[in-house]
Amino acid sequence: MTKRYMTAVFEYDEGAELPRLITEAFSSETMAFHDAKVTAVSMEDEITRVEKLEQLEQQIED
């Protein structure tokens, strides 16, 4: 079976349950979360961070 990956950024209020559940899954031995395997976790908005880096790179090239 072909492996697939998904990147998502969640905005949540302090105390929300989803971040805790995902973090617990990542720290578990199997890293399972429902029917998927957690392969990476960041507590930052990585998509925005990459977009800013790409903008900086474009400015340098111009």
Side-chain angles (χ1 to χ4, degrees):
M1 184 179 294
T2 302
K3 300 291 184 190
R4 308 286 296 186
Y5 298 89
M6 174 177 51
T7 301
V9 176
F10 298 94
E11 180 180 60
Y12 56 90
D13 292 325
E14 187 174 333
E17 186 175 22
L18 181 62
R20 181 185 59 77
L21 294 173
I22 293 172
T23 303
E24 285 177 1
F26 186 66
S27 63
S28 73
E29 190 172 313
T30 63
M31 294 192 299
F33 184 74
H34 294 268
D35 61 348
K37 179 179 179 181
V38 178
T39 59
V41 172
S42 172
M43 298 308 287
E44 301 295 329
D45 181 349
E46 296 298 332
I47 293 173
T48 300
R49 191 171 71 96
V50 169
E51 288 172 345
K52 288 179 181 179
L53 288 171
E54 289 172 345
Q55 289 173 357
L56 181 59
E57 182 181 48
Q58 186 62 44
Q59 290 173 358
I60 292 170
E61 290 176 356
D62 291 343

